[in-house]
Amino acid sequence: MERLSEVARQEQFLSVLSREEAAARFRAAVPHATLPAETVLLAEALGRVLAEDIASPIDVPPFDRSLVDGFAVRAADTESAREGSPVRLGLNAEILACGTAPNLAVAPGTATPIATGGVIPRGADAVVMVEATEFLGDAAGPAIEVARASNPGQFVGYTGADMALGETVLRRGVRFTAREIGMLAACGLDRVPVVRRPRVAVLSTGDELMAPGALLRPGAIYDSNGAIVAASVAENGGVALPGGIVADDEASLETAIRESLETADLVVLSGGTSKGAGDVSHRILSRLGEPGILVHGVALKPGKPLCLAAVGTKAIVVLPGFPTSAMFTFHEFVVPLVRALAGLPPREEASVEARVPQRVPSELGRMEFVMASLSRTGDGLVALPLPKGSGSVTAFSQADGFFPVPANRAGLEAGEAVTVSRLGAGVKPPDLTIVGSHCLGLDRVVGLLADRGYRARTIWVGSAGGLAALKRGECDLTAMHLLDPESGRYNAPFLAPEMRLAPGWRRMQGVVFRAGDPRFAGRRAAEAVAALAGDAETVMVNRNTGSGTRLLIDGLLEGGRPAGYWNQPRSHNAVAAAVAQGRADWGVAIEGVARAYGLGFLPLTEEHYDLAYRAERANEPGLAVFLALLAEPETRVALRELGFATGAGD
Amino acid sequence: MERLSEVARQEQFLSVLSREEAAARFRAAVPHATLPAETVLLAEALGRVLAEDIASPIDVPPFDRSLVDGFAVRAADTESAREGSPVRLGLNAEILACGTAPNLAVAPGTATPIATGGVIPRGADAVVMVEATEFLGDAAGPAIEVARASNPGQFVGYTGADMALGETVLRRGVRFTAREIGMLAACGLDRVPVVRRPRVAVLSTGDELMAPGALLRPGAIYDSNGAIVAASVAENGGVALPGGIVADDEASLETAIRESLETADLVVLSGGTSKGAGDVSHRILSRLGEPGILVHGVALKPGKPLCLAAVGTKAIVVLPGFPTSAMFTFHEFVVPLVRALAGLPPREEASVEARVPQRVPSELGRMEFVMASLSRTGDGLVALPLPKGSGSVTAFSQADGFFPVPANRAGLEAGEAVTVSRLGAGVKPPDLTIVGSHCLGLDRVVGLLADRGYRARTIWVGSAGGLAALKRGECDLTAMHLLDPESGRYNAPFLAPEMRLAPGWRRMQGVVFRAGDPRFAGRRAAEAVAALAGDAETVMVNRNTGSGTRLLIDGLLEGGRPAGYWNQPRSHNAVAAAVAQGRADWGVAIEGVARAYGLGFLPLTEEHYDLAYRAERANEPGLAVFLALLAEPETRVALRELGFATGAGD
């Protein structure tokens, strides 16, 4: 009878709180923060959460490579080729299979056989597909005939086009799916830092409970909460430490809870909160240590008699004994904590509806899958087709998913609705989409933005491509460094009336060369270029049309087109790699990249790297936070540490 | 040069097929069928696929139990209790804590203290909450005062209400989430038969490839396809057998493929399909055995040079080397095969929009979560609130998910839209929803339906509840056995004009009693009941109002109300358990259940168990297949094996 007469007393501590009030007290006492990192093998990282930002230790691909089976040529040699009047190119005595480095340069009038994935040799700037050639094995030696002109860069995959050395390729907080594992494998990592999984002790209490598999005695039931809680912990990124069934007496329960607190990050006990039994766990939790019981009773149905407690910053949650009550309270209070400790975001769906913002061309007669990134607009989700080709690993990473263009359609029209299948789980649309030119400084700013809880998607297509995307409304921000030769000013002259410029930082550009090369060492940049522009043995590497650097190079060459002019990769990294690997002798790149490749550097001029946006979007949350962040002293300090110039009077 | 001159020859075997044609050839040669079973510990079953239907080996709960802390009483004793004129009940000298079996019966005018989850003692048919009583410790001995009348069955959870002994509780093909693990734990299973995971050998080929972690030599790249494919296999229910990088020569590759075929269910090779290298794998696959190469070239972008082959019924898939091409072709051709071998269905989303078909009452001031099952209608998804309470484990299993009723709403109106959060993954709305009365025969028919690829959801609420659900359009089929006392006919008299009856089968009903009880043994049913109806020491167990069996019992008792009449559980199993466990001495149940509990059986009459549906839905696929199946000879044979009577002239 004593037990029953205690009910009145127990009622007094069961003071029911609202769900919000209970959650607030719980969060105030127990940090819902990500646990520290541990290192695991990449092959075991599936489902784990990345603990640190990962910068690629190499360029991917690590060299300029052929995208087809064919012949490496100089595009200029094929300029006059026509059907009926082909150009003859003598074959060099080397076959560039996959995995072998070239030994011979492609001299004017020659070609070198190359396999898909083979390294583009020095001198070559394009590849002709084998199907577009005729083999000639005559007295003059092996040769091919080419009946069509090639553009420079044709069938060439440039160094770093997929991932550039030093580029942040994955950000902390990402949950590993197959595609993240593939990306890190592609850049050569076999170990990764992941968030340690929260260890959750799972105890069941009640004298009526028996473990599954045992023979049930009269009046007893099988413990199901223990199994459900353990499995739910695993489903939410934790590791369950199954503690089994604890007898419903004070001594056993206290021992079990104390032992669990030693090894676990969180203790979940089910049973023992009903009015007839709650006093036992209540008494124990009251004396384990500060702050003790935080909440006992929540306005939830089912689940009212939930008890939340903490010792230090470790939580102890006592779930109601009935399974449905236990699971709802578990999902309301324990799942958010486990996911927060595990570094996991809330869930999202597996497919979403979106519109395509532009016409998507496709070949009639075959189904085409288009990789797309998702972007929120005032008018719902937009699926942006991604520019990367099928050789790309990151296409999978930048993509939120893909949509099909049916075989019986020659493409989709702008504004048409598509169903985007998400790739992997746990992916959600970013708060901010940045399209344009890559910079390590921007990687750093995006990292600071992530610290403030905003996730940015970055797509590197160059300054001009970024500006076009901004014009079409496909991104929030364009990262650019375009020089207007007439005014000598960067960026501002290129903006449309609806665009605004946020000042970024400045990067020193210069001529890069292999350290110690006597043709360059000790000279001034303009002087060296002027002296070597006419030398057939000195091969340059150019940049793509539309890039700010290309304008700088064209200014430097004053109309000259030295050997290598038609080799026009799209990034500072590809330029530096071409020089470092001997495919070229000089090019123009920024100082930080020259340093990363161990190259010599002759300074030219400071390039302005700024951020453009559309005026009407300035108050959207992600963009507003980014713009404010850009002006903060902390950001300027971080940029200067990376070697960039910031501040007024630029 | 030899290699290049082979291109023309290779082109001839790269005859490009449509995606559909390629899939058809692949499926024709390689069975896309579930692998055999293996047994694992329940605690390790998360994510695995159940290989066999599971029938519960016990009733859950295994006895009639109290849902609150309070006193077990006879409801009839409290009939006159009013505020101001309470009823006094003497306390029996036993406290029914959880996990202990009662020793004393509740005689008229007495009550026994009982904890939540305690076993309801013989004689009692209701529980009074402790808060609704006053404790009297006077000279006449311990007693309570009750100031309000209790209904029979109040705060009683009946035996088997959650899962009944012999009931099919999980069907093969289910992927284990926390809730399925909890269900099987609740019915005492600690080992489960699951589909063996398909073993997928993952090989990468190409002389340019190096394993992540190694130092990259010039011209080489890191293998990322191996890691992506292995992780994707794991994401889709398979086990990857990483075979690493194989040199691109015929002997090494052939050895690796042959060794893989010995241990793996499927071999996935990436690289080696481009025109320069494809001939090596083509030559090997052509001589490994019949049927050899099935497809080489598919009209997919990216992914054209895919090669599909088989040796015996084992598939060998050669993916293109470029990552995006490899992943699209993997998702199109390998994922469906891996999922089929693993017994997994296609994926679905994590939350869906649905309407509530009826008003959902809720208490103002607290947020309520409502478990719901989803049902497809012509007008979109409908979320049916589930009838089970918070003591239920299966609520989690029958539910597709749950939706919240906000704290500031006193309920939702019929037709209102809700967002249903799915529980676990891999759940999809069923093809057919059956609501009504449970029968082992129906479990069997639903199993045969599953063999034909149609999934039925079953919700057991009794015949009358099922009929009401059918009237409201919430289910496709109602399983019923209602006797019309006036006409003496089953089921048909209860149908509304828009309903049709599909004849089911017949089940023998009779009086059940503990084997050897001399009060029943050797007598005829009606004779025994008539003789014992007036005996205060002989306690019966009744059935709930609205059940077919209740009508039969009322007919048998001819207006009499013997001791135990107010004990009115909802199932044959609960009746049999009450008799087997001594809480009652007799009741009426079907023959199969009597046999399962080892009870004596005196036959009464054959009950007709039929299926009702709405005429306008007869042609919906799931229902049409079910109705056709019901009439098939195979089904009738299976039902007769279970002891049911079928056939014409019923």
Side-chain angles (χ1 to χ4, degrees):
Chain A
M1 287 307 92
E2 199 197 333
R3 189 168 186 178
L4 290 165
S5 66
E6 275 179 7
V7 166
R9 190 175 60 69
Q10 289 171 41
E11 275 298 83
Q12 93 200 27
F13 65 72
L14 195 69
S15 67
V16 176
L17 299 181
S18 74
R19 169 169 164 261
E20 292 71 24
E21 171 74 16
R25 283 200 201 176
F26 191 46
R27 281 176 179 267
V30 177
H32 280 49
T34 305
L35 290 173
E38 64 185 8
T39 299
V40 299
L41 289 175
L42 183 65
E44 288 161 15
L46 191 66
R48 301 298 297 268
V49 176
L50 183 62
E52 298 164 16
D53 290 357
I54 300 287
S56 178
I58 61 163
D59 285 304
V60 177
F63 44 81
D64 299 343
R65 63 177 174 182
S66 176
L67 297 175
V68 295
D69 292 334
F71 300 90
V73 301
R74 293 176 175 242
D77 286 348
T78 69
E79 218 168 6
S80 67
R82 296 286 179 280
E83 207 66 61
S85 85
V87 166
R88 178 193 167 105
L89 299 171
L91 287 188
N92 295 306
E94 155 171 87
I95 297 180
L96 298 172
C98 273
T100 57
N103 292 311
L104 303 175
V106 172
T110 70
T112 299
I114 189 165
T116 304
V119 182
I120 302 289
R122 181 179 166 104
D125 53 31
V127 176
V128 181
M129 283 180 85
V130 67
E131 294 90 334
T133 64
E134 284 294 323
F135 180 66
L136 307 172
D138 55 25
I144 53 168
E145 271 185 358
V146 178
R148 209 186 307 163
S150 299
N151 293 322
Q154 173 182 283
F155 299 129
V156 175
Y158 286 107
T159 307
D162 206 351
M163 292 184 274
L165 187 159
E167 179 186 340
T168 301
V169 290
L170 285 182
R171 300 207 168 269
R172 59 185 173 281
V174 167
R175 191 170 199 179
F176 277 97
T177 66
R179 60 189 181 141
E180 285 78 23
I181 288 178
M183 282 180 70
L184 297 195
C187 60
L189 298 172
D190 65 345
R191 270 155 225 278
V192 285
V194 294
V195 176
R196 178 166 74 66
R197 280 190 287 230
R199 293 185 287 259
V200 183
V202 181
L203 304 170
S204 301
T205 179
D207 291 331
E208 77 280 22
L209 297 182
M210 297 187 72
L215 191 67
L216 203 60
R217 63 164 199 276
I221 59 171
Y222 289 113
D223 173 33
S224 59
N225 282 344
I228 298 180
V229 168
S232 299
V233 163
E235 284 178 338
N236 287 286
V239 176
L241 309 176
I245 298 161
V246 184
D248 205 358
D249 70 81
E250 212 159 321
S252 312
L253 201 51
E254 181 164 349
T255 304
I257 294 176
R258 285 190 185 276
E259 285 177 1
S260 296
L261 279 171
E262 279 169 29
T263 52
D265 300 301
L266 161 65
V267 179
V268 177
L269 177 70
S270 82
T273 59
S274 79
K275 278 173 256 111
D279 56 334
V280 176
S281 53
H282 192 96
R283 273 203 301 273
I284 297 168
L285 296 181
S286 301
R287 66 174 175 249
L288 281 179
E290 289 300 314
I293 291 171
L294 306 165
V295 172
H296 196 179
V298 183
L300 274 178
K301 179 190 174 181
K304 183 174 155 189
L306 173 73
C307 179
L308 304 170
V311 177
T313 57
K314 275 188 191 178
I316 305 170
V317 176
V318 187
L319 303 174
F322 273 165
T324 307
S325 312
M327 286 322 293
F328 270 127
T329 49
F330 180 85
H331 277 278
E332 280 295 299
F333 293 94
V334 183
V335 166
L337 176 57
V338 172
R339 293 182 74 88
L341 293 173
L344 286 175
R347 298 155 188 269
E348 292 237 347
E349 306 112 86
S351 79
V352 294
E353 297 299 310
R355 287 170 304 103
V356 292
Q358 66 211 41
R359 199 183 127 66
V360 181
S362 177
E363 208 174 305
L364 202 64
R366 65 176 175 184
M367 173 175 260
E368 179 165 352
F369 294 105
V370 180
M371 290 282 194
S373 70
L374 291 169
S375 177
R376 287 195 204 285
T377 70
D379 190 14
L381 286 175
V382 166
L384 305 176
L386 284 171
K388 296 205 174 178
S390 71
S392 167
V393 185
T394 49
F396 262 94
S397 171
Q398 295 190 335
D400 286 314
F402 58 89
F403 59 85
V405 182
N408 62 356
R409 295 284 307 273
L412 300 177
E413 296 310 318
E416 208 166 329
V418 291
T419 298
V420 179
S421 300
R422 299 268 182 133
L423 290 161
V427 183
K428 62 166 190 165
D431 301 300
L432 188 70
T433 300
I434 307 177
V435 178
S437 175
H438 176 247
C439 177
L440 295 179
L442 187 55
D443 277 346
R444 186 80 177 88
V445 180
V446 168
L448 294 172
L449 189 71
D451 291 342
R452 283 155 181 75
Y454 291 84
R455 203 167 68 87
R457 147 105 21 72
T458 52
I459 303 177
W460 309 131
V461 298
S463 297
L467 208 51
L470 187 64
K471 201 164 179 60
R472 292 192 300 264
E474 296 171 9
C475 63
D476 300 296
L477 212 53
T478 287
M480 63 190 292
H481 48 97
L482 285 179
L483 175 64
D484 176 35
E486 283 179 34
S487 64
R489 289 170 61 215
Y490 270 93
N491 300 329
F494 295 89
L495 299 194
E498 72 275 16
M499 299 180 186
R500 300 289 175 273
L501 202 65
W505 49 90
R506 301 184 305 283
R507 325 190 290 188
M508 183 55 78
Q509 300 216 97
V511 168
V512 297
F513 59 97
R514 283 183 296 285
D517 185 332
R519 291 173 288 185
F520 297 90
R523 296 176 107 162
R524 292 171 52 94
E527 179 197 337
V529 169
L532 294 163
D535 176 17
E537 293 304 303
T538 303
V539 176
M540 74 168 291
V541 52
N542 203 344
R543 276 293 305 278
N544 56 307
T545 310
S547 65
T549 307
R550 171 64 174 271
L551 293 173
L552 186 64
I553 296 171
D554 280 343
L556 202 60
L557 292 175
E558 296 174 331
R561 294 187 171 181
Y565 182 86
W566 296 111
N567 186 16
Q568 301 177 353
R570 304 186 155 268
S571 71
H572 294 298
N573 282 62
V575 167
V579 174
Q581 294 168 3
R583 291 191 301 281
D585 300 309
W586 70 273
V588 175
I590 57 173
E591 189 174 11
V593 167
R595 218 184 290 151
Y597 285 80
L599 295 176
F601 183 79
L602 309 176
L604 273 165
T605 183
E606 270 191 342
E607 173 186 74
H608 290 235
Y609 184 91
D610 298 319
L611 290 306
Y613 57 96
R614 298 175 74 99
E616 83 270 13
R617 288 208 201 168
N619 292 321
E620 290 190 8
L623 183 54
V625 171
F626 182 95
L627 294 175
L629 176 64
L630 211 52
E632 278 182 25
E634 180 193 355
T635 309
R636 312 311 279 182
V637 169
L639 288 167
R640 280 195 294 275
E641 278 169 6
L642 288 170
F644 298 113
T646 67
D650 297 358
Chain B
M1 287 309 90
E2 196 197 336
R3 190 167 185 177
L4 290 165
S5 65
E6 275 180 6
V7 166
R9 190 175 59 70
Q10 289 172 41
E11 275 299 84
Q12 93 199 30
F13 65 73
L14 195 70
S15 67
V16 175
L17 299 181
S18 74
R19 169 169 165 261
E20 292 69 25
E21 171 72 16
R25 283 202 200 173
F26 191 45
R27 283 176 178 268
V30 177
H32 281 49
T34 305
L35 290 172
E38 64 184 8
T39 299
V40 298
L41 289 175
L42 183 65
E44 288 161 13
L46 191 65
R48 302 298 297 269
V49 176
L50 184 62
E52 297 165 15
D53 290 356
I54 299 287
S56 179
I58 61 163
D59 285 305
V60 179
F63 43 82
D64 299 343
R65 63 177 173 180
S66 177
L67 297 176
V68 295
D69 292 334
F71 300 90
V73 301
R74 292 176 175 242
D77 285 349
T78 69
E79 218 169 5
S80 67
R82 297 286 179 279
E83 208 63 64
S85 86
V87 165
R88 179 195 169 104
L89 300 171
L91 287 188
N92 295 307
E94 153 168 90
I95 297 179
L96 298 172
C98 273
T100 56
N103 292 310
L104 303 174
V106 172
T110 70
T112 299
I114 189 165
T116 305
V119 182
I120 303 289
R122 181 178 165 104
D125 53 31
V127 176
V128 182
M129 282 180 84
V130 66
E131 294 88 335
T133 63
E134 284 295 322
F135 180 66
L136 306 173
D138 57 22
I144 52 167
E145 270 186 359
V146 179
R148 210 187 306 164
S150 299
N151 292 321
Q154 174 181 283
F155 299 128
V156 175
Y158 286 107
T159 308
D162 205 350
M163 292 183 274
L165 186 158
E167 179 186 340
T168 301
V169 291
L170 285 181
R171 300 208 167 267
R172 59 186 173 280
V174 165
R175 189 171 199 178
F176 276 98
T177 66
R179 59 189 180 140
E180 284 78 24
I181 288 179
M183 282 179 68
L184 296 196
C187 61
L189 299 172
D190 64 345
R191 269 154 227 276
V192 285
V194 294
V195 175
R196 179 166 75 66
R197 279 191 288 230
R199 293 186 287 259
V200 183
V202 181
L203 302 171
S204 301
T205 179
D207 291 332
E208 78 281 22
L209 297 181
M210 296 188 70
L215 191 68
L216 203 60
R217 65 164 198 275
I221 58 170
Y222 288 114
D223 173 32
S224 58
N225 282 345
I228 299 181
V229 168
S232 299
V233 162
E235 285 178 340
N236 288 286
V239 176
L241 309 176
I245 298 161
V246 184
D248 206 359
D249 70 80
E250 211 159 324
S252 312
L253 200 52
E254 180 164 351
T255 304
I257 294 175
R258 285 191 186 275
E259 283 177 3
S260 297
L261 280 171
E262 277 170 30
T263 53
D265 299 302
L266 161 65
V267 178
V268 177
L269 176 69
S270 83
T273 58
S274 80
K275 278 174 257 108
D279 55 335
V280 176
S281 52
H282 193 95
R283 272 203 300 274
I284 298 169
L285 296 180
S286 300
R287 66 172 174 250
L288 281 178
E290 288 301 314
I293 291 171
L294 306 165
V295 173
H296 196 179
V298 183
L300 274 177
K301 178 189 174 181
K304 183 174 154 188
L306 172 74
C307 179
L308 304 171
V311 176
T313 56
K314 276 189 190 178
I316 305 170
V317 176
V318 187
L319 304 174
F322 273 165
T324 307
S325 311
M327 285 323 293
F328 270 128
T329 48
F330 180 85
H331 276 278
E332 279 295 298
F333 293 94
V334 183
V335 166
L337 175 57
V338 172
R339 293 183 74 88
L341 293 173
L344 286 174
R347 298 155 189 269
E348 290 238 347
E349 305 112 86
S351 78
V352 292
E353 299 297 310
R355 289 170 302 104
V356 291
Q358 66 211 41
R359 200 184 125 66
V360 181
S362 178
E363 210 174 303
L364 202 63
R366 66 177 175 181
M367 173 176 261
E368 179 164 352
F369 294 105
V370 181
M371 291 282 196
S373 70
L374 291 169
S375 176
R376 287 194 202 284
T377 70
D379 190 14
L381 285 175
V382 165
L384 305 175
L386 284 171
K388 295 205 174 178
S390 71
S392 166
V393 185
T394 48
F396 262 93
S397 171
Q398 295 190 335
D400 285 314
F402 58 90
F403 59 86
V405 183
N408 62 356
R409 294 286 307 273
L412 300 176
E413 298 308 320
E416 210 165 328
V418 290
T419 298
V420 180
S421 300
R422 299 268 181 133
L423 291 162
V427 183
K428 61 166 192 164
D431 301 299
L432 188 70
T433 301
I434 308 176
V435 178
S437 176
H438 176 248
C439 176
L440 295 180
L442 187 55
D443 277 346
R444 186 79 177 88
V445 180
V446 167
L448 294 172
L449 190 69
D451 291 343
R452 282 154 180 77
Y454 292 83
R455 203 168 67 88
R457 147 105 20 72
T458 51
I459 303 177
W460 309 131
V461 297
S463 296
L467 209 50
L470 186 64
K471 202 165 179 60
R472 292 193 299 264
E474 296 171 9
C475 63
D476 300 296
L477 212 52
T478 287
M480 62 189 293
H481 49 97
L482 286 178
L483 176 63
D484 176 35
E486 283 180 34
S487 65
R489 290 171 61 215
Y490 271 94
N491 301 328
F494 294 90
L495 299 193
E498 72 275 17
M499 300 179 185
R500 299 288 175 274
L501 203 65
W505 49 91
R506 302 184 304 282
R507 324 190 289 187
M508 183 56 77
Q509 300 216 95
V511 168
V512 298
F513 59 97
R514 284 183 296 284
D517 185 334
R519 292 172 288 185
F520 297 89
R523 294 176 107 162
R524 292 170 53 95
E527 179 197 338
V529 169
L532 292 163
D535 176 15
E537 293 303 304
T538 302
V539 176
M540 75 168 290
V541 51
N542 203 344
R543 276 294 304 280
N544 56 308
T545 311
S547 66
T549 309
R550 172 65 173 270
L551 293 173
L552 185 65
I553 296 171
D554 280 342
L556 203 60
L557 292 175
E558 295 174 331
R561 295 186 170 183
Y565 181 86
W566 297 111
N567 186 14
Q568 299 177 356
R570 303 184 155 270
S571 71
H572 293 299
N573 282 63
V575 166
V579 173
Q581 293 167 4
R583 291 191 303 281
D585 301 309
W586 70 275
V588 174
I590 56 172
E591 190 173 9
V593 168
R595 218 184 289 149
Y597 285 81
L599 295 176
F601 184 79
L602 309 177
L604 273 165
T605 181
E606 269 191 343
E607 174 186 73
H608 290 234
Y609 185 91
D610 297 320
L611 290 308
Y613 56 96
R614 297 174 74 99
E616 82 271 14
R617 289 209 199 166
N619 291 323
E620 291 190 8
L623 183 54
V625 171
F626 182 96
L627 294 175
L629 176 64
L630 210 54
E632 279 181 25
E634 178 194 354
T635 309
R636 315 309 280 179
V637 168
L639 288 166
R640 281 196 294 274
E641 277 170 5
L642 287 170
F644 299 112
T646 68
D650 297 357

